[in-house]
Amino acid sequence: MGGTLSAATIFAGFGIGLAYKTLMNVLRGWKDIPSMMFGAPLKAGSIAAEISPELLGVGYIIGPKIAFVMGSAASLPTSC
């Protein structure tokens, strides 16, 4: 994007990640891995997502285009 990162930006990112992780793990604000089991027509089906600051940071580093491709590939069924 042409800009440079300052130390304030980096430390702000660390602070946001620390706050997120603290709310999620220590204060139990939400589930670490939210999931949902489907009902009657799809009894064997489920969906889950692991959302953590570490994984979100990797997505930021590799960029939205590559992250989208990897996420799309991960959503394909593996039992084919």
Side-chain angles (χ1 to χ4, degrees):
M1 295 209 181
T4 60
L5 290 177
S6 66
T9 305
I10 293 171
F11 286 117
F14 284 143
I16 292 169
L18 177 66
Y20 182 94
K21 193 75 165 177
T22 301
L23 287 171
M24 184 175 69
N25 287 346
V26 177
L27 301 176
R28 302 285 183 206
W30 53 87
K31 289 183 179 181
D32 188 21
I33 302 174
S35 62
M36 182 181 119
M37 300 294 289
F38 294 118
L42 304 169
K43 286 185 181 179
S46 68
I47 188 168
E50 185 175 350
I51 305 167
S52 67
E54 299 86 12
L55 296 176
L56 295 173
V58 169
Y60 176 76
I61 291 169
I62 64 174
K65 187 175 182 180
I66 295 172
F68 178 75
V69 170
M70 291 175 64
S72 299
S75 67
L76 294 173
T78 57
S79 62
C80 292

